[in-house]
Amino acid sequence: MKPDDLPSSARAGLPPDAAWSALIDAASAPYRPKSRWAYHWARGKLGRDPVFRGLLERGDIGAGRRIVDIGCGQGLVAALMQACATLQQQGRWPAAWQPAASATAYTGVELMPKDVARAEAALAALPLAPRFVCGDMCATPFPACDVVVILDVLHYVPHAAQDAVLARVRDALAPSAGRLLLRVGDADDASGFAWSQWVDRIVTWARGHRVPPTFGRPLREWQATLEQLGFTVRAVPQSQGTPFANVLLVAELPAQEGTPA
Ligand SMILES: C[S@@+](CC[C@H](N)C(=O)[O-])C[C@H]1O[C@@H](n2cnc3c(N)ncnc32)[C@H](O)[C@@H]1O
């Protein structure tokens, strides 16, 4: 049965909380047969970190997008995109949210081989066929895309390297619909930023990684850097219910002459 064949009560979709719960179940399920650890990590992260649900509620990703996810970890965004496709096909996408996010292609770039192995084991066979590249974002080529997602990653490299990654992100994005979803900490919010750094260090260590130094910036500097690259930037606070100083920057490239808006 197609969604349009459903009675109008069903077309209204699930209530938002039920939909989010169904999406967490569906996005974490592929990890379960491969690794209990990866399964529980997926459930915990999707359940506790407000960024993922917010992206869907606000329609930040959009439909039919080619997504590049830099510092993708075990590929939660790919798992979530597949779960979104299923919910949409079932006619259960909540009417209260923006239209369903969907991906036509997904490439994850991740430094840590263990994370890439977990992502590939659980997700490579999904219909979305996500591709994972094990490499340093400072050197790995980014494919042409419509949306780049960078959640809590850029501060692992020095400022000059951050600028170089952002310039290459701009070049990879389609000029008419290119959008960067960049979550950063605001170094001007001293206590929230310190909390983020502590948690980052503990999580990095617990995941068996070397604990690297981190390179933060005040929010206004992040915004200015993106604006200099030609992006229009909107800041979405991400700290509700958390002690952190996180902000999601939704950065868009203007349509260029001759490209469809
Ligand atoms: C805090 S985690 C965030 C993971 C994922 N974006 C999420 O939100 O679930 C940061 C990730 O960035 C990766 N990372 C750090 N430096 C990197 C680099 N130079 N190139 C690629 N990935 C990197 C880490 O290995 C880690 O998986």
Side-chain angles (χ1 to χ4, degrees), residues 155 192-202 213-216 244:
H155 60 287
F193 191 67
W195 261 107
S196 307
Q197 296 232 303
W198 267 105
V199 171
D200 232 10
R201 281 162 184 270
I202 291 165
T214 55
F215 305 87
F244 308 128

Side-chain angles (χ1 to χ4, degrees), residues 103-125:
T104 55
Y106 170 99
T107 303
V109 177
E110 169 56 49
L111 186 64
M112 302 309 296
K114 270 190 192 163
D115 282 315
V116 173
R118 280 191 204 109
E120 279 175 340
L123 308 178

